[in-house]
Amino acid sequence: MDRGKCWNTEESWRAILVLAYQSLGVVYGDLSISPLYVYKNTFAEDIQHSDTNEEIFGVLSFVFWTLTLIPLFKYVFIVLRADDNGEGGTFALYSLICRHAKVSLLPSRQVSDEALSTYKLELPPENNNSSKVKMLLEKHKCLHTALLILVLLGTCMVIGDGLLTPAISVLSAVSGLELSMSHYHHEYAVIPITCIILICLFALQHYGTHRVGFFFAPIVLVWLLCISTLGLYNIFKWNPQVYQALSPYYMLKFLRKTRISGWMSLGGTLLCITGSEAMFADLGHFSYAAIQIAFTFLVYPALILAYLGQAAYLSKHHHSIYQISFYLSVPESVRWPVIIVAILASVVGSQAIISGTFSIINQSQSLGCFPRVKVTHTSDKIHGQIYIPEINWTLMILCIAVTLGFRDTKHIGNASGLAVMTVMIVTTCLTSLVIILCWHKPPTIALCFLLSFGSIELLYFSASLMKFGEGAWLPILLALFLMTIMFVWHYATIKKYEFDLHNKVSLEWLLALGPSLGIARVPGIGVVFTDLTSGIPANFSRFVTNLPAFHRILVFVCVKSVPVPYVPLAERYLVGRVGPATHRSYRCIVRYGYRDVHQDVDSFETELVARLVDFIKYDWSHSETAGSMAEDEGPHSNRSSSEYRLTVIGMVGLSGPPMYEMDVNPQHASVSIGFSSVGSAIEMEPNRAPEKRVRFSIEDDSEAGTLREMDRGLRQELEDLWNAQQAGTAFILGHSHVQAKQGSNLLKRVAINAGYNFLRRNCRGPDVALKVSPVSLLEVGMVYVV
């Protein structure tokens, strides 16, 4: 699947321009439609448009410098460089920080994760000040929690923006009808038409953006050309001297005249930068150069011309029977075509933010911060285009409720402005840490960045906060609700892991199970899911205690998240033995990045068996080459029962990327990683040769001569695996009930006993993520006392 990685300097200008064109429909839809409602919201209540034009020129100056400093200087020239393997967004910054400093709260962290090709670190020499900041963050656990809360806050506000942006965008576009019909008809037409468009927008989400995506870029391009042309027309017709208002002097005149009301009106002005965060969040689908060129040479000039044109028109029209609106500056002869294009552009902008909401919720659940929901791919070719049914219909209901409840762009704009500015403040804070920890720059540079842009954003944030009673309460309420859900889920997940860690069973207990204890081995493959990367989980011991039998082939599977955007398929599966080869027990750790979708295999059972075959062949071949086993014994027979090698098993097609493999066994694509109590030893060397897919079959002597060199132990193990697969596979999962310890405080009892258990009962189970058939599912009841 294409993952839209950041391109290098060798990419052609033609390819860059094509990407820049395509980014218009995905990245800039929300930002480009802001002229529809900025002036309208700014002049909604706090200030009035007077004959002196000081208000309109002051607002124009604020809009110009805000667009210049935040999207252009902050995002295009600085923040876009803080990418994580070409990916952007809040979780990309958090991932970078977690890899460069030990501040992650994710459980089951392994040293072997650092061997991933996407786990790259910036390695310039650290200065003393950077090391001090790093040590301070790593030392205090409360700072780890504070950092996670900051990330969750930004995530909740992005979700809130996904609820508010479609409402204000479509409503602003449809409101142009008020100039073409009577007040009576307008009042009863705009809201129903807006709701119908929103219902259609959300109803089509399951088809995915790729089916209509080729329409998006032309629509936004036409819209940008439309508003820039209208801007030039209004400038030359009404006030060619309006460009003088770009001077910062007009901002001072504006604040001096309007004072507190002018400051409060900035809550509407900040809407000119809604959608700026999308440049960074959608970086993974395009390149840095493409996004930079599209904004600098097309989007930015078009927006400036649009705002200049509106200001030029308003500077000559002070007494209108209509409220200040974008459509007042549109000539009547072209008003209907402009309304149609505006509605289409608002749909495109809404589509982009809805897709972004799906993406960030998928990232949240990957890091254990959101209840499990069903995530489906909407494209077989383009990675990252996903659809979440539960979130989609919830957003639609809330979006329509907001539209019907507020019924105007003023209150929705106040709510949207607060959500947008909160996300930007979170990005500024996280980027400041990236500058110190990842780029190894002096803290003074990070402080300058924080103060320069943070002060501007705090000014707008404070203005938005003053609108609390006029709509700004909505994102705050939504954020509190979502953060409570996310924090409770994350806290309980960590506590469950700690309970499993303290109650795991030793390997010796497993190896001692046998006929002498009345334990039978039944045909088939038993796949035991666990969060542990070592040891035997308590749910398996409970299973054997109640049903004294387990399968001939036993596989302990741990599905874990790694703080990287993607884990290549060739490095995803980490396989090893549990006990000697004769025990036929294995451990498989499946690693995903925060942008990976877990349902990316048709059959987890088939994929797992294929990886076991690869591992068995590699393990026997490696052991024979190293001469580490006796003539009639299996691999690792001379090792202690607690130490067994884990191996990265992967395979790619003939056109795949370079693989890593051991020198001693060039025919297998793998990296051997030996674990001990003090760390891990990694031996790997890049191999440029293409790999062949290993088929699961027992070949005859007349076929390829590879199996001729394998002894009867290898043949027997492969036959046992084949027979077990034919007998059937059972997936053993823990059906957990979590309860707080006796003596816990009231808050913890409510959060665990009521909150978490309610979420667990009403969210998707882990079997859904791996497409496990209900017929093959065995659930073992477990009570977690945390």
Side-chain angles (χ1 to χ4, degrees), residues 331-560:
E332 190 172 353
S333 58
V334 296
R335 188 168 290 158
W336 273 104
V338 171
I339 290 175
I340 294 173
V341 176
I343 292 175
L344 292 175
S346 68
V347 170
V348 171
S350 302
Q351 172 64 52
I353 193 66
I354 293 170
S355 299
T357 303
F358 293 157
S359 178
I360 202 165
I361 288 178
N362 179 54
Q363 296 171 34
S364 301
Q365 73 168 359
S366 296
L367 296 177
C369 297
F370 200 87
R372 286 182 293 267
V373 290
K374 182 180 180 181
V375 180
T376 57
H377 277 295
T378 58
S379 174
D380 296 330
K381 297 181 180 179
I382 304 175
H383 188 96
Q385 290 194 359
I386 58 176
Y387 169 69
I388 305 178
E390 298 97 324
I391 302 301
N392 181 66
W393 301 121
T394 303
L395 281 178
M396 186 192 75
I397 294 171
L398 293 177
C399 193
I400 293 174
V402 166
T403 305
L404 294 174
F406 288 143
R407 303 184 72 86
D408 63 15
T409 57
K410 171 193 166 185
H411 291 85
I412 303 176
N414 293 336
S416 179
L418 184 65
V420 168
M421 202 48 59
T422 304
V423 175
M424 290 187 175
I425 291 174
V426 170
T427 300
T428 300
C429 295
L430 295 177
T431 305
S432 301
L433 289 176
V434 169
I435 291 174
I436 299 174
L437 300 174
C438 307
W439 297 351
H440 304 290
K441 301 296 182 183
T444 51
I445 295 179
L447 186 62
C448 289
F449 173 83
L450 181 63
L451 293 178
S452 300
F453 297 106
S455 58
I456 300 172
E457 292 161 355
L458 283 175
L459 173 67
Y460 282 119
F461 180 79
S462 61
S464 288
L465 207 56
M466 295 300 293
K467 306 281 187 178
F468 181 85
E470 301 172 24
W473 57 268
L474 180 59
I476 295 176
L477 182 64
L478 184 64
L480 287 175
F481 177 71
L482 289 174
M483 282 192 67
T484 301
I485 291 177
M486 297 169 78
F487 199 78
V488 165
W489 185 268
H490 182 75
Y491 176 78
T493 301
I494 296 295
K495 290 299 180 181
K496 279 182 59 182
Y497 176 79
E498 292 175 353
F499 182 90
D500 280 334
L501 198 62
H502 291 124
N503 291 274
K504 66 180 181 180
V505 184
S506 66
L507 181 61
E508 285 71 16
W509 174 86
L510 175 67
L511 299 180
L513 296 177
S516 60
L517 297 178
I519 305 296
R521 299 290 293 267
V522 298
I525 300 176
V527 179
V528 183
F529 286 96
T530 174
D531 292 329
L532 300 177
T533 57
S534 63
I536 310 303
N539 63 345
F540 178 72
S541 64
R542 184 177 179 85
F543 172 77
V544 174
T545 302
N546 289 274
L547 182 66
F550 59 94
H551 296 83
R552 195 72 51 80
I553 301 293
L554 193 61
V555 187
F556 296 96
V557 174
C558 171
V559 180
K560 58 175 286 189

Side-chain angles (χ1 to χ4, degrees), residues 28-38 165 168-170 172 223-224 227 274 303 307 342 345-347 349-350:
Y28 297 110
D30 187 13
L31 184 62
S32 64
I33 58 177
S34 56
L36 287 173
Y37 45 77
V38 169
T165 293
I168 189 174
S169 300
V170 177
S172 298
W223 171 249
L224 290 172
I227 61 175
T274 56
L303 291 174
Y307 289 116
S346 68
V347 170
S350 302

